[in-house]
Amino acid sequence: MQGTVDGFSYGMVTPVTAYVMACLGAALGLRCITRSLRNEQSWKPGWLALGATSIGCGIWTMHFIAMIGFQVEESRLRYDVGLTILSLGVAILVVGLGVFAVGHYGASTTALLIAGTFTGLGVAVMHYVGMAAIRVNGSLRYDAVTVGLSVAIAIVAATAALWAAVTIRGFMASLGASLVMGIAVTGMHYTGMAAVSVHLHSKGGSWAGGSAYSLLLPMLIGPVIFLVLAGVVVMFDPLLVLGDGDWSGSAARRRPAGAPYGGPSRTPVGAPPRAPAGWSGQPGSFSETPADAGRRAQNRGSSPPRRR
């Protein structure tokens, strides 16, 4: 007997909440990837690991928030605890392969294709491992074409999000990339759910596992807390907040004409001002006005030189 599947039993509450969580995880993860690529002094493995975990937690949280709204009218749903936890680990691991690929090999076409493929596959594998955790009085079956479409959506959109994160500078670019990544995750999820059909058993049975409320809601607390803490780390890192503000290797290209490298904020308090470009320290080595000479002498604690 065919079961009646309802993926929106709470209306748009679960889809919208799931999308927001996917965007949050993607935003944090993509900013961490950007941080590792554009600052040579950053601890690359740490930022990439934080990015992969943020994206993985965002994907996992999105999936199971959306699954709270999934029901089969003729049967109760239970979830296997082991497979539910495994799906989180798979999401972080597979997404991590993609994140570390783009983190170590940069924004080349080959690296982005590899990273996007792994990241998209991480989204898909997490989804279907999470679906395997469902215990229902029947069997789940999938339409192969729709499943393939869901995987393709995840790979293409994840590749586009990574490309935007590593090639377009600025906070707004990363924000836009996270919205694309959120679309990838939620679009893949609901496309995959459209492939599901439930064939019920003729007789009722008993099966182990926790319900959506007793299992999923408590398990969501941990990843959500992690995303909040990761958000705090990002908020207190000025390079991540400002986006294109002061990345190493690009400050020289952005400083105003004639300004010393790094801007006035780089000069320690109490230190003498830096010499203007082209001055060797000898009289006559460059042309300066009396006012400039007076200010330079005053900063050094001496009297202005006499004009000859």
Side-chain angles (χ1 to χ4, degrees):
M1 186 177 78
Q2 189 83 10
T4 304
V5 175
D6 183 7
F8 302 92
S9 59
Y10 293 98
M12 294 303 297
V13 174
T14 50
V16 171
T17 306
Y19 175 72
V20 170
M21 294 307 300
C23 290
L24 175 60
L28 296 174
L30 293 176
R31 292 307 292 162
C32 291
I33 296 172
T34 303
R35 175 68 160 82
S36 70
L37 288 174
R38 295 184 183 169
N39 187 267
E40 298 175 357
Q41 298 179 351
S42 64
W43 184 41
K44 188 182 291 289
W47 284 111
L48 293 177
L50 181 61
T53 306
S54 297
I55 295 175
C57 286
I59 294 170
W60 189 88
T61 304
M62 180 284 311
H63 173 82
F64 284 104
I65 287 178
M67 290 305 295
I68 292 176
F70 177 75
Q71 292 182 358
V72 179
E73 291 185 6
E74 297 82 1
S75 174
R76 294 179 303 161
L77 294 181
R78 299 283 180 177
Y79 291 87
D80 181 86
V81 177
L83 286 177
T84 301
I85 297 175
L86 177 64
S87 65
L88 175 59
V90 168
I92 296 173
L93 177 61
V94 182
V95 170
L97 295 176
V99 167
F100 274 82
V102 75
H104 283 280
Y105 296 104
S108 65
T109 302
T110 302
L112 284 174
L113 289 176
I114 294 174
T117 300
F118 273 109
T119 304
L121 288 176
V123 176
V125 171
M126 188 284 312
H127 173 84
Y128 289 106
V129 172
M131 293 298 294
I134 294 177
R135 298 292 178 261
V136 63
N137 184 31
S139 60
L140 300 181
R141 299 181 184 179
Y142 297 90
D143 177 72
V145 175
T146 310
V147 169
L149 178 61
S150 69
V151 176
I153 291 173
I155 293 176
V156 171
T159 304
L162 289 174
W163 173 83
V166 301
T167 59
I168 304 176
R169 296 176 181 172
F171 177 79
M172 295 306 297
S174 291
L175 178 61
S178 68
L179 297 179
V180 173
M181 188 69 179
I183 293 174
V185 175
T186 53
M188 181 273 150
H189 173 85
Y190 285 104
T191 302
M193 294 305 295
V196 175
S197 60
V198 178
H199 293 261
L200 299 172
H201 296 155
S202 57
K203 295 182 180 180
S206 61
W207 55 94
S211 66
Y213 292 104
S214 64
L215 175 64
L216 297 185
L217 287 179
M219 290 187 68
L220 287 171
I221 295 176
V224 170
I225 291 176
F226 174 84
L227 290 175
V228 171
L229 294 177
V232 172
V233 172
V234 170
M235 289 176 61
F236 281 93
D237 189 290
L239 294 185
L240 286 173
V241 174
L242 298 178
D244 195 31
D246 193 23
W247 300 109
S248 63
S250 59
R253 293 191 297 271
R254 293 190 301 274
R255 69 183 188 273
Y261 183 85
S265 61
R266 294 295 184 96
T267 303
V269 177
R274 297 184 180 183
W279 184 59
S280 63
Q282 300 298 325
S285 59
F286 79 110
S287 178
E288 65 178 352
T289 64
D292 291 334
R295 283 194 296 269
R296 178 167 54 82
Q298 182 179 4
N299 288 331
R300 295 187 176 186
S302 60
S303 59
R306 297 179 180 178
R307 183 175 179 83
R308 296 178 180 179

Short mmCIF file of all heavy atoms in Angstrom, two decimals, residues 90-116:
data_model
loop_
_atom_site.label_atom_id
_atom_site.label_comp_id
_atom_site.label_asym_id
_atom_site.label_seq_id
_atom_site.Cartn_x
_atom_site.Cartn_y
_atom_site.Cartn_z
N VAL A 90 29.60 12.38 8.58
CA VAL A 90 29.82 12.28 7.13
C VAL A 90 29.78 13.66 6.50
O VAL A 90 30.60 13.99 5.62
CB VAL A 90 28.75 11.36 6.51
CG1 VAL A 90 28.76 11.47 4.99
CG2 VAL A 90 29.00 9.91 6.91
N ALA A 91 28.82 14.49 6.91
CA ALA A 91 28.71 15.84 6.35
C ALA A 91 30.00 16.63 6.58
O ALA A 91 30.54 17.25 5.65
CB ALA A 91 27.52 16.57 6.98
N ILE A 92 30.53 16.61 7.80
CA ILE A 92 31.75 17.36 8.12
C ILE A 92 32.94 16.80 7.38
O ILE A 92 33.77 17.55 6.82
CB ILE A 92 31.99 17.35 9.64
CG1 ILE A 92 30.86 18.09 10.36
CG2 ILE A 92 33.34 17.98 9.98
CD1 ILE A 92 30.93 18.01 11.87
N LEU A 93 33.06 15.46 7.31
CA LEU A 93 34.21 14.83 6.67
C LEU A 93 34.25 15.10 5.17
O LEU A 93 35.27 15.53 4.63
CB LEU A 93 34.19 13.33 6.93
CG LEU A 93 35.31 12.51 6.26
CD1 LEU A 93 36.67 12.97 6.78
CD2 LEU A 93 35.10 11.02 6.51
N VAL A 94 33.14 14.84 4.48
CA VAL A 94 33.14 14.99 3.02
C VAL A 94 33.24 16.46 2.62
O VAL A 94 33.98 16.81 1.69
CB VAL A 94 31.89 14.33 2.41
CG1 VAL A 94 31.91 14.44 0.90
CG2 VAL A 94 31.81 12.87 2.82
N VAL A 95 32.52 17.33 3.31
CA VAL A 95 32.65 18.76 3.04
C VAL A 95 34.07 19.22 3.33
O VAL A 95 34.63 20.06 2.62
CB VAL A 95 31.63 19.56 3.86
CG1 VAL A 95 31.91 21.05 3.78
CG2 VAL A 95 30.22 19.28 3.37
N GLY A 96 34.69 18.65 4.38
CA GLY A 96 36.07 19.01 4.71
C GLY A 96 37.04 18.71 3.59
O GLY A 96 37.99 19.46 3.37
N LEU A 97 36.82 17.61 2.86
CA LEU A 97 37.68 17.30 1.72
C LEU A 97 37.63 18.41 0.68
O LEU A 97 38.65 18.83 0.14
CB LEU A 97 37.26 15.96 1.11
CG LEU A 97 37.44 14.72 1.97
CD1 LEU A 97 36.90 13.49 1.26
CD2 LEU A 97 38.91 14.51 2.33
N GLY A 98 36.43 18.89 0.40
CA GLY A 98 36.30 19.97 -0.55
C GLY A 98 36.89 21.28 -0.04
O GLY A 98 37.57 22.00 -0.78
N VAL A 99 36.65 21.59 1.22
CA VAL A 99 37.16 22.83 1.80
C VAL A 99 38.69 22.84 1.81
O VAL A 99 39.32 23.84 1.45
CB VAL A 99 36.59 23.01 3.22
CG1 VAL A 99 37.34 24.12 3.97
CG2 VAL A 99 35.10 23.32 3.16
N PHE A 100 39.30 21.73 2.21
CA PHE A 100 40.77 21.70 2.24
C PHE A 100 41.35 21.71 0.84
O PHE A 100 42.46 22.21 0.62
CB PHE A 100 41.24 20.47 3.02
CG PHE A 100 41.33 20.70 4.50
CD1 PHE A 100 40.21 20.62 5.30
CD2 PHE A 100 42.53 21.04 5.10
CE1 PHE A 100 40.27 20.86 6.66
CE2 PHE A 100 42.62 21.29 6.46
CZ PHE A 100 41.48 21.19 7.25
N ALA A 101 40.62 21.17 -0.15
CA ALA A 101 41.11 21.21 -1.53
C ALA A 101 41.21 22.65 -2.03
O ALA A 101 42.25 23.07 -2.55
CB ALA A 101 40.18 20.39 -2.44
N VAL A 102 40.16 23.43 -1.84
CA VAL A 102 40.20 24.82 -2.30
C VAL A 102 41.10 25.66 -1.39
O VAL A 102 41.70 26.63 -1.84
CB VAL A 102 38.78 25.40 -2.37
CG1 VAL A 102 38.23 25.71 -1.00
CG2 VAL A 102 38.74 26.65 -3.24
N GLY A 103 41.21 25.28 -0.11
CA GLY A 103 42.06 26.03 0.80
C GLY A 103 43.53 25.89 0.49
O GLY A 103 44.31 26.82 0.69
N HIS A 104 43.96 24.73 0.00
CA HIS A 104 45.38 24.50 -0.26
C HIS A 104 45.77 24.75 -1.71
O HIS A 104 46.92 25.06 -1.99
CB HIS A 104 45.75 23.07 0.11
CG HIS A 104 45.91 22.87 1.59
ND1 HIS A 104 47.06 23.23 2.28
CD2 HIS A 104 45.06 22.37 2.54
CE1 HIS A 104 46.92 22.96 3.56
NE2 HIS A 104 45.72 22.44 3.75
N TYR A 105 44.83 24.63 -2.65
CA TYR A 105 45.17 24.78 -4.06
C TYR A 105 44.61 26.05 -4.66
O TYR A 105 44.81 26.31 -5.85
CB TYR A 105 44.68 23.56 -4.86
CG TYR A 105 45.36 22.29 -4.44
CD1 TYR A 105 44.69 21.36 -3.64
CD2 TYR A 105 46.67 22.02 -4.79
CE1 TYR A 105 45.31 20.18 -3.22
CE2 TYR A 105 47.31 20.86 -4.38
CZ TYR A 105 46.62 19.94 -3.60
OH TYR A 105 47.24 18.79 -3.19
N GLY A 106 43.91 26.86 -3.87
CA GLY A 106 43.48 28.17 -4.33
C GLY A 106 42.26 28.12 -5.22
O GLY A 106 41.48 27.17 -5.20
N ALA A 107 42.12 29.17 -6.03
CA ALA A 107 40.91 29.36 -6.82
C ALA A 107 41.08 28.91 -8.26
O ALA A 107 40.40 29.42 -9.15
CB ALA A 107 40.50 30.83 -6.78
N SER A 108 41.98 27.97 -8.52
CA SER A 108 42.12 27.46 -9.88
C SER A 108 40.88 26.68 -10.28
O SER A 108 40.11 26.22 -9.43
CB SER A 108 43.36 26.56 -9.98
OG SER A 108 43.20 25.40 -9.20
N THR A 109 40.69 26.55 -11.59
CA THR A 109 39.50 25.84 -12.07
C THR A 109 39.45 24.41 -11.58
O THR A 109 38.41 23.92 -11.14
CB THR A 109 39.49 25.86 -13.61
OG1 THR A 109 39.51 27.22 -14.07
CG2 THR A 109 38.24 25.18 -14.15
N THR A 110 40.61 23.74 -11.62
CA THR A 110 40.65 22.34 -11.18
C THR A 110 40.31 22.22 -9.70
O THR A 110 39.51 21.35 -9.29
CB THR A 110 42.02 21.74 -11.44
OG1 THR A 110 42.32 21.83 -12.83
CG2 THR A 110 42.07 20.28 -11.01
N ALA A 111 40.90 23.10 -8.88
CA ALA A 111 40.64 23.05 -7.44
C ALA A 111 39.18 23.32 -7.13
O ALA A 111 38.57 22.66 -6.28
CB ALA A 111 41.53 24.06 -6.71
N LEU A 112 38.57 24.29 -7.82
CA LEU A 112 37.17 24.62 -7.56
C LEU A 112 36.24 23.48 -7.98
O LEU A 112 35.26 23.18 -7.30
CB LEU A 112 36.79 25.90 -8.29
CG LEU A 112 37.29 27.21 -7.65
CD1 LEU A 112 36.97 28.39 -8.55
CD2 LEU A 112 36.66 27.41 -6.28
N LEU A 113 36.56 22.83 -9.10
CA LEU A 113 35.73 21.70 -9.55
C LEU A 113 35.81 20.55 -8.55
O LEU A 113 34.79 19.93 -8.21
CB LEU A 113 36.17 21.24 -10.94
CG LEU A 113 35.82 22.19 -12.09
CD1 LEU A 113 36.39 21.66 -13.40
CD2 LEU A 113 34.32 22.39 -12.20
N ILE A 114 37.03 20.27 -8.09
CA ILE A 114 37.19 19.19 -7.10
C ILE A 114 36.50 19.55 -5.80
O ILE A 114 35.75 18.75 -5.22
CB ILE A 114 38.69 18.91 -6.87
CG1 ILE A 114 39.33 18.34 -8.14
CG2 ILE A 114 38.88 17.93 -5.70
CD1 ILE A 114 40.83 18.17 -8.04
N ALA A 115 36.74 20.79 -5.32
CA ALA A 115 36.15 21.21 -4.05
C ALA A 115 34.63 21.26 -4.14
O ALA A 115 33.93 20.82 -3.22
CB ALA A 115 36.71 22.58 -3.66
N GLY A 116 34.11 21.80 -5.24
CA GLY A 116 32.66 21.87 -5.40
C GLY A 116 32.01 20.50 -5.47
O GLY A 116 30.93 20.27 -4.93
#
